[in-house]
Amino acid sequence: MTSQPTPANWLSIAALGLIWGATFMVVAIALEGYGPLTVACARTTLGAVALLALMVILKRPLPDFTPTMRRYLIAIGLLNTALPFALLSWGQQYVPSAFAGISMAALPLFVLPLAHIFTDEKMSLRNTLGVMLGFTGAIFLIGPGVLRLGTGWEPLGQLACIAASISYAVSSIMTRRCPPIDPITMAALLLTVGAAALIPAMLIFEGVPSAGDTRPTIAIIVLGFIPTALAALIRVATIRSAGAIFMTLVNYQVPLWSMVFGALVLSEGLPLRFFVALGLILVGLAISQWLGLKKLLFT
């Protein structure tokens, strides 16, 4: 059964919205001095080290590594860390950080139907209408650039960001279905799996990184400890407590914060289609998540 969200769950959603909304700006800064796989690998490895240390300090138990548990940890670790981190870092070389943030708003469009099929969180007619409207916004966000695959890397960068959103959606459902495991232990092991996949990929394609300028180096450190380690811990605990669909409420905030940070800190331009796409996606989310929003606003 799906648990009723608690005040702590709502606070977690607010914190994740701000943290993840700023992440795209920080990734853009890190890319000033490092390759995309190096950025993805460094943040994952630092996050894994931080959470493994926390797990040891707090004496959190290891799970029973049954074949089922191992399969879930490996799959979620790849789909929630290694793959989306690499896709987003690569994509942000060619698209504004605001675009990457808005693309995350499309995540519920994938979570809702997946949750309907694979969990006890079922879609209603209202959910379906919301998803359809939000999907229209996602298409509008990509715009005509998707038809210009032969004229530059930007359309592929856009598709990489959308693919990262799909990867997160699948991992959210798998996190909900994973056998019982301590949330701190789970977050630490997932990042460890991601680091194990990204380290050889980085060495093969980008080599051993050398120390860059202070600004991108600080950005990588921040990425490892805040939006990776801390956010992974909050995310796992929230999904395990309140469900994958509730977790999608964070996507109301992420694109807004990404646009704010991108414009104010990175001086990024914001095309009109960004605002139109964001409006369509947020209205679609509001329709699909109306009961949760109603409880938040009127109770």
Side-chain angles (χ1 to χ4, degrees):
M1 296 295 291
T2 302
S3 304
Q4 185 69 22
T6 65
N9 293 144
W10 287 110
L11 288 174
S12 296
I13 290 295
L16 285 174
L18 178 59
I19 291 172
W20 282 340
T23 297
F24 306 99
M25 171 199 67
V26 182
V27 168
I29 295 173
L31 288 171
E32 295 173 0
Y34 299 94
L37 282 176
T38 300
V39 171
C41 179
R43 67 178 292 193
T44 307
T45 304
L46 287 173
V49 170
L51 286 186
L52 286 172
L54 181 63
M55 188 180 78
V56 172
I57 292 171
L58 297 180
K59 299 180 179 179
R60 295 291 187 170
L62 286 171
D64 183 8
F65 288 107
T66 63
T68 298
M69 177 64 77
R70 290 197 299 269
R71 285 194 295 269
Y72 268 100
L73 291 176
I74 292 173
I76 299 171
L78 295 175
L79 292 172
N80 187 59
T81 58
L83 183 58
F85 287 0
L87 286 170
L88 286 171
S89 294
W90 186 85
Q92 279 195 243
Q93 295 177 108
Y94 310 106
V95 302
S97 66
F99 180 97
I102 297 173
S103 69
M104 291 299 100
L107 190 152
L109 311 181
F110 308 114
V111 170
L112 287 167
L114 289 172
H116 178 82
I117 296 172
F118 296 108
T119 76
D120 59 352
E121 301 178 77
K122 301 303 180 183
M123 290 179 65
S124 62
L125 177 60
R126 183 186 63 255
N127 295 142
T128 303
L129 292 175
V131 167
M132 292 173 63
L133 183 59
F135 184 70
T136 302
I139 294 175
F140 201 90
L141 172 63
I142 296 177
V146 74
L147 302 177
R148 302 195 309 268
L149 295 180
T151 63
W153 289 102
E154 181 181 0
L156 291 178
Q158 294 174 338
L159 293 176
C161 293
I162 297 297
S165 180
I166 297 174
S167 183
Y168 279 130
V170 176
S171 73
S172 292
I173 301 305
M174 297 190 72
T175 299
R176 183 65 167 169
R177 291 173 57 87
C178 183
I181 180 175
D182 177 81
I184 294 180
T185 300
M186 184 177 192
L189 294 177
L190 294 181
L191 285 173
T192 301
V193 169
L198 286 171
I199 288 173
M202 177 196 70
L203 294 176
I204 291 171
F205 293 102
E206 296 179 0
V208 178
S210 57
D213 294 336
T214 301
R215 176 178 155 104
T217 300
I218 292 176
I220 278 186
I221 295 173
V222 170
L223 283 172
F225 291 114
I226 298 180
T228 303
L230 178 60
L233 178 60
I234 297 174
R235 178 182 181 276
V236 168
T238 302
I239 291 176
R240 300 287 284 183
S241 172
I245 289 182
F246 176 81
M247 183 66 201
T248 63
L249 292 177
V250 74
N251 296 88
Y252 286 100
Q253 307 163 68
V254 169
L256 298 175
W257 284 116
S258 71
M259 292 174 71
V260 168
F261 285 117
L264 295 182
V265 179
L266 302 177
S267 300
E268 292 179 346
L270 299 176
L272 177 61
R273 85 169 193 277
F274 279 24
F275 294 94
V276 175
L278 179 61
L280 289 171
I281 291 171
L282 293 184
V283 171
L285 286 174
I287 293 172
S288 65
Q289 296 284 359
W290 171 244
L291 292 180
L293 289 174
K294 184 178 180 181
K295 291 177 182 178
L296 174 63
L297 297 174
F298 303 112
T299 60

